Amino acid sequence: GENVEQHPSTLSVQEGDSAVIKCTYSDSASNYFPWYKQELGKGPQLIIDIRSNVGEKKDQRIAVTLNKTAKHFSLHITETQPEDSAVYFCAASKNDYKLSFGAGTTVTVRA
Amino acid sequence: SQTIHQWPATLVQPVGSPLSLECTVEGTSNPNLYWYRQAAGRGLQLLFYSVGIGQISSEVPQNLSASRPQDRQFILSSKKLLLSDSGFYLCAWGTPGAGDTIYFGEGSWLTVV
């Protein structure tokens, strides 16, 4: 099955700096890569996703890049703010109902 | 707009007792439905998914079962809870034919004592 690895497991950044989280996947047939943000005690929220026919997607301060050849994708958060502090999960799937999740990255934005 | 409701939000159950977690989705028809579990400080594990009434697929062997008695209702059950069943349980839904995009509910914290 699909194996998704996520790094780093924890990330501390100064407010205003950028944060980057990287994920690799094992199954070259995977074609959908979402990112979720989970705040303490709540369910994960979809924040951005990318499909294999594009290499980059942006939504305000958030961007995701995909390198299909290398089988890795990354989340970039620019101009970080305290409300960006949360756990972020990457995931991958090949349109078979099964999202495989990374282990998560705890992001702390220092004021 | 679509909404997902999951309850109860928290529960503490003794070992050996039964479990029933319920999830309903509003604002959509024939959704794909999912149950995930998240152990403390860990990632998300898919337990069950359903593409229609009465159609349940299990991803991992375990002490739990799922049922879908109505189009937008998904129930997670156990006849006898184990300590290892403790965790954060998340229901999710997705639109058929829209790839694997899924949206989570707020989750249910289960502590087995």
Side-chain angles (χ1 to χ4, degrees), chain A residues 31-49:
Chain A
N31 57 13
Y32 175 62
F33 309 93
W35 286 87
Y36 288 84
K37 175 183 180 182
Q38 185 177 29
E39 297 178 345
L40 191 63
K42 296 187 176 181
Q45 281 190 306
L46 178 68
I47 55 172
I48 195 168
D49 56 10

Side-chain angles (χ1 to χ4, degrees), chain A residues 68-88:
Chain A
K68 285 206 71 182
T69 302
K71 291 190 285 187
H72 66 70
F73 56 112
S74 301
L75 178 71
H76 305 253
I77 306 173
T78 58
E79 300 173 22
T80 54
Q81 301 169 4
E83 53 264 38
D84 294 329
S85 295
V87 180
Y88 292 81

Side-chain angles (χ1 to χ4, degrees), chain B residues 9 73 86 96:
Chain B
Q73 183 185 27
S86 294

Side-chain angles (χ1 to χ4, degrees), chain B residues 52-108:
Chain B
I53 297 174
Q55 301 178 60
I56 309 295
S57 296
S58 174
E59 285 301 295
V60 293
Q62 60 205 312
N63 186 40
L64 302 168
S65 61
S67 61
R68 184 171 177 172
Q70 301 182 43
D71 181 42
R72 290 169 290 171
Q73 183 185 27
F74 207 24
I75 298 171
L76 184 69
S77 304
S78 174
K79 293 182 179 178
K80 290 186 178 181
L81 284 168
L82 305 172
L83 287 173
S84 58
D85 291 324
S86 294
F88 191 43
Y89 289 84
L90 291 154
C91 182
W93 72 275
T95 301
D100 290 329
T101 304
I102 64 171
Y103 304 93
F104 287 93
E106 287 300 299
S108 298

